[in-house]
C-alpha cells in the first residue's frame, strides 16, 4: 500500500470510528509515524502523519463531547471530570488532551481544514486552537484612562486648549507657579514622546 493510500485509509477509518478507543488507537499510530518520519527527514510523510493525528484528535474530541456530563451544576475543582474520568483513564487520555481535543472539535470545519492545508508551517494542536480563538482583549489600565480623561478635558469646548496659559496662571500662588514652571517642561517632553511612539 502506498503512502497516499495509507493516508486515505486512515482518514476513512477516523470518519467511520464511533468509539473513543478506536480513534485514540489511530491517533497513537499517527504519532509514531510522525516521529519516525521526522527522524527520517521525510517532511511530506511527517505532514501527512501530523494531519492524521489532528483529524483523529478532532474526532476524539467530538466523541468526548458526547460523554455524560456532571449533573447539578458546575463540578468542583477536586472532581472536574466526574463521569468522563473513567473513560479518559481507560483510554490513556489526560484531562489536558481531552480539553484540547474538544476545542479542536468545536472549531468550524472550514477553519480546521484551512489550518491543515497551510503550507507555511507544520500544524499543531495548540497552534490551531490559538489561531481560531477570538483575540484576547487587554483591559485598559487605570493610568491610561486617567491620561485619556485629562487630555479630553483639555480638548473640551471650555477646556484649557482654548484659553491662554496666562489666564490660568495669574490666579496661582507663588508656590503653585514654581511647581508649574518645574513640571510643565517635563510633562511637555513626556507628551511629545506619545507622538514618537506611533511613527508621527
Amino acid at each position: 500500500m502506498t503512502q497516499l493510500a495509507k493516508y486515505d485509509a486512515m482518514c476513512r477509518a477516523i470518519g467511520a470510528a464511533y468509539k473513543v478507543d478506536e480513534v485514540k488507537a489511530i491517533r497513537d499510530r499517527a504519532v509514531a509515524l510522525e516521529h519516525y518520519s521526522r527522524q527520517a527527514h521525510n517532511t511530506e510523510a511527517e505532514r501527512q502523519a501530523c494531519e492524521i493525528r489532528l483529524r483523529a484528535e478532532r474526532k476524539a474530541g467530538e466523541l468526548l463531547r458526547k460523554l455524560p456530563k456532571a449533573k447539578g451544576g458546575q463540578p468542583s475543582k477536586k472532581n472536574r471530570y466526574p463521569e468522563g474520568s473513567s473513560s479518559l483513564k481507560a483510554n490513556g487520555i489526560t484531562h489536558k488532551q481531552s480539553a484540547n481535543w474538544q476545542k479542536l472539535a468545536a472549531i468550524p470545519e472550514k477553519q480546521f481544514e484551512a489550518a491543515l492545508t497551510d503550507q507555511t508551517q507544520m500544524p499543531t494542536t495548540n497552534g490551531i486552537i490559538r489561531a481560531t480563538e477570538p483575540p484576547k482583549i487587554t483591559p485598559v489600565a487605570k493610568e491610561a484612562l486617567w491620561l485619556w480623561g485629562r487630555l479630553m478635558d483639555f480638548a473640551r469646548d471650555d477646556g484649557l486648549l482654548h484659553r491662554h496659559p496666562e489666564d490660568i496662571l495669574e490666579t496661582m500662588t507663588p508656590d503653585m507657579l514654581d511647581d508649574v514652571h518645574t513640571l510643565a517642561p517635563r510633562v511637555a517632553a513626556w507628551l511629545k514622546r506619545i507622538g514618537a511612539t506611533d511613527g508621527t
Side-chain angles (χ1 to χ4, degrees):
M1 184 180 291
T2 66
Q3 182 174 305
L4 180 59
K6 289 180 180 179
Y7 173 82
D8 291 338
M10 293 180 78
C11 287
R12 287 195 299 271
I14 292 170
Y18 63 94
K19 291 183 179 180
V20 174
D21 59 343
E22 295 175 341
V23 185
K24 176 64 163 49
I26 298 173
R27 184 260 179 192
D28 290 347
R29 183 182 174 190
V31 170
L33 290 172
E34 189 176 358
H35 180 69
Y36 174 80
S37 299
R38 187 180 302 114
Q39 288 186 323
H41 303 289
N42 188 335
T43 304
E44 182 180 357
E46 180 187 355
R47 187 176 188 90
Q48 287 186 341
C50 175
E51 290 182 11
I52 291 170
R53 173 178 60 79
L54 289 167
R55 291 184 188 280
E57 290 178 355
R58 176 177 165 84
K59 181 60 179 285
E62 293 174 357
L63 297 174
L64 288 168
R65 294 175 75 184
K66 297 177 182 179
L67 290 178
K69 303 297 182 182
K71 298 178 181 179
Q74 293 290 333
S76 65
K77 291 183 178 180
K78 185 178 180 181
N79 193 21
R80 293 176 60 194
Y81 305 87
E83 296 188 40
S85 291
S86 58
S87 179
L88 295 181
K89 186 176 181 180
N91 290 291
I93 301 172
T94 67
H95 294 316
K96 178 66 173 177
Q97 287 175 325
S98 174
N100 282 341
W101 297 354
Q102 290 182 62
K103 288 179 181 179
L104 284 179
I107 297 172
E109 184 176 359
K110 187 175 181 179
Q111 286 182 272
F112 179 76
E113 292 296 333
L116 289 186
T117 57
D118 182 3
Q119 298 298 318
T120 62
Q121 58 185 343
M122 191 71 71
T124 65
T125 304
N126 289 329
I128 293 177
I129 292 173
R130 284 195 300 268
T132 54
E133 285 181 338
K136 294 182 179 179
I137 300 176
T138 303
V140 180
K142 62 180 181 180
E143 296 85 356
L145 282 173
W146 181 90
L147 176 61
W148 173 76
R150 300 296 78 74
L151 292 175
M152 294 303 294
D153 286 342
F154 267 81
R156 291 182 317 195
D157 290 342
D158 59 345
L160 297 182
L161 287 180
H162 304 286
R163 302 178 63 182
H164 196 281
E166 292 298 330
D167 296 337
I168 309 300
L169 299 179
E170 65 180 2
T171 62
M172 289 187 177
T173 66
D175 288 342
M176 292 170 66
L177 286 172
D178 286 342
D179 289 338
V180 169
H181 290 147
T182 299
L183 294 173
R186 295 172 58 188
V187 173
W190 187 87
L191 290 173
K192 189 175 181 180
R193 291 165 58 189
I194 294 178
T197 59
D198 64 6
T200 59

